[in-house]
Amino acid sequence: MPNASIPRPALLLGAAGLLPSLAMPPLLAAGGDAAAFALFAGPAYGALIASFIGGAWWGLAANRVDGAALTRWLVLSVLPMLMAWVALLLPPQAGLLLLAVIFALLPLADRAAQAASMAPAWWWRLRLPLSLLMACLHGVSAGMIA
C-alpha cells in the first residue's frame, strides 16, 4: 500500500510540531529579549524533536526487526539524541547549524525504515517535508545570528 494517505492526526500534529521552529526567525529578527528567548528555546526544541524522531525509529525497529539489524537500528536511533545534545553544548550559531545538518540527514534513515517495511506506507511522505523544513528553519536561524 505505497500510496496510503497520511493519517489526518499525524499530518496535523506533524505540522503543529513546526510552530516553535517557525517562530524562531521572527523572534531573532525582533532582537532584544525575543531574540534571547529564541536562542535558548529554539535549539532546545530542535533537540527535543530530533530525539523524538530517534525514539520513533527505536519503536519501529523494536516492533519489526530482529538480530543484528535490530542492534544497528537501535544504535542509529540514539544518534539524533546524542548529536542534538552536542548541539546544545555549542554556541548558538554552531548549535543551530548542527541541528540543521541533523534534520537534513534524518530523512536518510526514514527512507531506510520505509524501504525495510518497518514504517507505515505514509511515513516517508510525512517525514521528508517535516525534516527538510526543520533543517531550513534551523539553518536560516543560524544565519541570522551576528
Side-chain angles (χ1 to χ4, degrees):
M1 191 188 252
N3 291 325
S5 296
I6 299 170
R8 187 168 175 82
L11 187 60
L12 293 174
L13 291 168
L18 292 170
L19 294 175
S21 295
L22 282 168
M24 202 169 18
L27 289 172
L28 288 170
D33 289 342
F37 175 76
L39 289 176
F40 169 75
Y45 183 73
L48 288 171
I49 294 299
S51 297
F52 176 83
I53 298 307
W57 296 342
W58 181 289
L60 291 171
N63 191 44
R64 301 274 180 154
V65 182
D66 293 319
L70 176 61
T71 300
R72 284 190 302 275
W73 273 102
L74 295 180
V75 168
L76 179 65
S77 72
V78 299
L79 292 179
M81 174 187 55
L82 293 172
M83 291 174 60
W85 176 66
V86 170
L88 293 177
L89 299 175
L90 295 173
Q93 187 175 41
L96 286 167
L97 285 173
L98 179 54
L99 286 164
V101 169
I102 292 166
F103 284 111
L105 293 174
L106 292 180
L108 297 174
D110 286 321
R111 186 65 166 166
Q114 188 83 61
S117 299
M118 288 172 33
W122 48 266
W123 184 263
W124 173 250
R125 287 192 322 284
L126 174 69
R127 292 288 315 123
L128 180 63
L130 292 176
S131 286
L132 295 181
L133 280 168
M134 289 292 281
C136 289
L137 289 166
H138 284 79
V140 164
S141 296
M144 294 177 71
I145 299 171

